[in-house]
Amino acid sequence: YRDLHTFELQAPTRLIEWARGSRVCVAGYGQSDGNEILQLIPPPTLLTKETQGLCPERDFKVECGGFSERPVYSLKYVPDTSLLVTSGPPDSSLQVWQVSAEDSDVIKSVSPIATENGTGQSWAKIATISARAPWVLHGSRLDRVQITEIESRKNVYTAAPGGSEELSSLAFLDCNTLLLCCAAGRLCLADVRQPQSLVEAVSAPLAPCSEQWCMGTRHGAQGLEPSSQPVARLSSRGLLTLTDLRKTSEFLALAKARVPSPGSGAEFLCVSWAPALEGCLAISGFDGTVHVYDTQSWDSSGREAKPIFVHKGHAFGGAGGSGDPPLVTVHTWHLQKPRTLLSAASDGSLHVWDWVQPCGKC
């Protein structure tokens, strides 16, 4: 490692979200009441773009926080605002939170966003954007996808019926284009300007019916079309696919990660592109590790890929609340520092780490 910071949270955490001012938001997912939502100030070394030398202050600090009466399974910061949106069981409704001003340390709950037929539906996956107005894209199934204007609660988009498949991930590619990933692996494209048009489907690789998938999208450099950026999909068996949305009939690359099969489902699967490293992505959700890969040499053979770095810190941090070894529940990349990642685990540990650059690698 070049650098490693650790912070112990009071409860298992499955979310890490960058907020304004390079703050970090985290939330608990326990089943009891009183799940914390915290906004943390990172260590000073993470607030500068250049790598610094020794620093006397190496810990996160809690800047403000609040409590959710329900488990928080998804959390998104609304760009250019002081708002957070969360979702979680027992239904598909959304909760909106106001991060208070500097003279207060409270994250306040705002009135929720109710969803049609929300009762009985699984929790909603969410994505946010502020290109026109603060919007939240949300839905638990393919035929329940909507965009809601957060401040007015106005419904500005409802996707055309495209089946009742369960969703695992969704994202804004830009202010008009949406990408939806079904749990079975199918990708669907939709256009806000054409709500009644049928979404374009991109099939998943042939795989067992029980296999679960998630996706990771990459934000391209300025001037590049969002559709030109490859979409990564990760399965619960460790299969990785890269897809060019402009040519969906074939895969850009196909690889297999050496990971154990998940013991209790695929709810923590996570794949993400590095924002400041060409061709690098990270995966987690199988055990107490995070794997980083350089995809630039991948082809369509589907052979096993070798990671360029494996973070094992959570695996040695002790047992989780259930007595089982800790499981990494989520990871995310630092927005400016190329090889710096944040990861959280089921034992409440939050790690920030930066690995030494291998010679000739990203």
Side-chain angles (χ1 to χ4, degrees):
Y1 292 96
R2 185 186 300 276
D3 206 357
L4 173 64
H5 303 267
T6 66
F7 185 74
E8 297 301 321
L9 301 166
Q10 296 300 310
T13 300
R14 64 177 293 159
L15 308 151
I16 304 173
E17 176 75 356
W18 287 102
R20 59 179 180 173
S22 297
R23 284 358 187 209
V24 177
C25 294
V26 297
Y29 65 91
Q31 296 301 319
S32 60
D33 293 345
N35 293 284
E36 283 188 306
I37 299 177
L38 302 175
Q39 181 166 287
L40 307 175
I41 302 176
T45 55
L46 291 183
L47 298 178
T48 59
K49 292 186 178 181
E50 299 297 329
T51 301
Q52 302 294 308
L54 293 176
C55 180
E57 182 57 68
R58 297 181 55 84
D59 292 331
F60 284 86
K61 290 184 177 180
V62 177
E63 183 174 37
C64 54
F67 290 93
S68 171
E69 294 181 355
R70 61 173 67 199
V72 182
Y73 277 27
S74 185
L75 178 151
K76 294 294 179 181
Y77 165 66
V78 183
D80 305 319
T81 73
S82 57
L83 299 175
L84 302 171
V85 181
T86 64
S87 66
D91 54 39
S92 60
S93 64
L94 309 179
Q95 287 69 52
V96 181
W97 303 83
Q98 175 76 52
V99 179
S100 300
E102 295 181 359
D103 58 349
S104 173
D105 60 358
V106 177
I107 297 178
K108 299 179 180 179
S109 175
V110 185
S111 58
I113 298 176
T115 54
E116 184 179 357
N117 299 323
T119 303
Q121 297 290 324
S122 59
W123 60 280
K125 284 65 179 180
I126 55 179
T128 56
I129 195 171
S130 292
R132 297 172 179 156
W135 283 0
V136 56
L137 170 66
H138 56 101
S140 58
R141 295 189 175 276
L142 195 56
D143 57 357
R144 304 280 183 187
V145 175
Q146 302 176 45
I147 295 177
T148 301
E149 189 175 296
I150 297 173
E151 294 175 343
S152 68
R153 301 298 195 269
K154 177 184 176 182
N155 178 273
V156 296
Y157 170 83
T158 299
S164 59
E165 295 177 62
E166 182 182 355
L167 292 174
S168 65
S169 322
L170 40 72
F172 284 101
L173 295 181
D174 57 31
C175 62
N176 294 314
T177 314
L178 318 175
L179 184 61
L180 318 173
C181 180
C182 298
R186 189 162 68 113
L187 290 178
C188 295
L189 277 167
D191 194 313
V192 173
R193 297 162 295 186
Q194 300 173 343
Q196 299 307 314
S197 64
L198 188 65
V199 291
E200 177 185 350
V202 181
S203 60
L206 293 177
C209 295
S210 59
E211 194 161 8
Q212 301 291 299
W213 293 78
C214 69
M215 74 169 179
T217 57
R218 182 182 177 197
H219 299 288
Q222 188 174 2
L224 290 180
E225 290 293 327
S227 59
S228 69
Q229 302 303 305
V231 176
R233 277 176 288 179
L234 170 66
S235 82
S236 52
R237 288 193 303 122
L239 187 63
L240 283 155
T241 72
L242 306 185
T243 303
D244 186 336
L245 295 178
R246 300 168 301 178
K247 189 176 182 181
T248 61
S249 59
E250 60 187 45
F251 297 114
L252 281 177
L254 190 65
K256 180 72 170 63
R258 183 184 292 180
V259 294
S261 299
S264 57
E267 61 178 329
F268 297 121
L269 285 182
C270 184
V271 55
S272 63
W273 285 103
L277 286 177
E278 183 66 29
C280 279
L281 59 76
I283 68 171
S284 63
F286 298 90
D287 53 18
T289 65
V290 181
H291 291 208
V292 179
Y293 293 92
D294 180 0
T295 69
Q296 295 182 88
S297 62
W298 288 7
D299 54 29
S300 57
S301 65
R303 62 188 177 189
E304 184 173 287
K306 183 178 179 180
I308 59 173
F309 188 79
V310 179
H311 174 59
K312 301 180 180 179
H314 296 285
F316 299 106
S322 63
D324 298 324
L327 172 68
V328 173
T329 54
V330 69
H331 72 266
T332 191
W333 294 79
H334 194 283
L335 300 179
Q336 287 89 31
K337 292 179 176 290
R339 294 185 306 280
T340 299
L341 290 92
L342 290 79
S343 54
S346 56
D347 61 352
S349 58
L350 175 64
H351 289 184
V352 185
W353 41 280
D354 186 338
W355 78 94
V356 177
Q357 181 176 2
C359 181
K361 297 291 185 180
C362 66

